[in-house]
Amino acid sequence: GRGFDEGLDDPKKNNSFFTLELHTSFIYVGKELFTFRGDDDLWVFINGSLAIDLGGLHTILEDTVSLDDLADDLALTKG
């Protein structure tokens, strides 16, 4: 396939279909806020449950999730 910089002079050749899937671990201690901002689709899953949904056609959007507020729904335990 084409790389990011290839085809910039011709929009019909530009490869703008990129996908990123990221996995990470964290220790829940309480009072964490996760804030995400972007103009592209973004879904955040914590322990397999949807915590933030910024999918669909939109301009720049931002959402913040308080882990304390969703601890039970996300199966989070401190430590």
Side-chain angles (χ1 to χ4, degrees):
R2 298 186 201 291
F4 180 75
D5 291 329
E6 295 179 43
L8 292 180
D9 55 334
D10 183 352
K12 293 179 185 175
K13 293 181 182 177
N14 190 7
N15 181 4
S16 56
F17 299 105
F18 288 91
T19 299
L20 172 70
E21 181 173 328
L22 173 72
H23 295 255
T24 191
S25 299
F26 64 91
I27 297 173
Y28 171 58
V29 296
K31 299 186 181 181
E32 289 93 342
L33 297 174
F34 285 169
T35 300
F36 298 89
R37 183 172 195 245
D39 63 353
D40 211 344
D41 294 337
L42 172 79
W43 297 274
V44 176
F45 289 85
I46 298 176
N47 288 337
S49 295
L50 184 62
I52 292 180
D53 182 350
L54 294 180
L57 297 174
H58 56 79
T59 58
I60 294 175
L61 293 177
E62 180 176 297
D63 197 4
T64 298
V65 61
S66 165
L67 296 189
D68 286 347
D69 292 347
L70 297 177
D72 290 338
D73 295 337
L74 300 175
L76 294 173
T77 56
K78 292 181 180 177

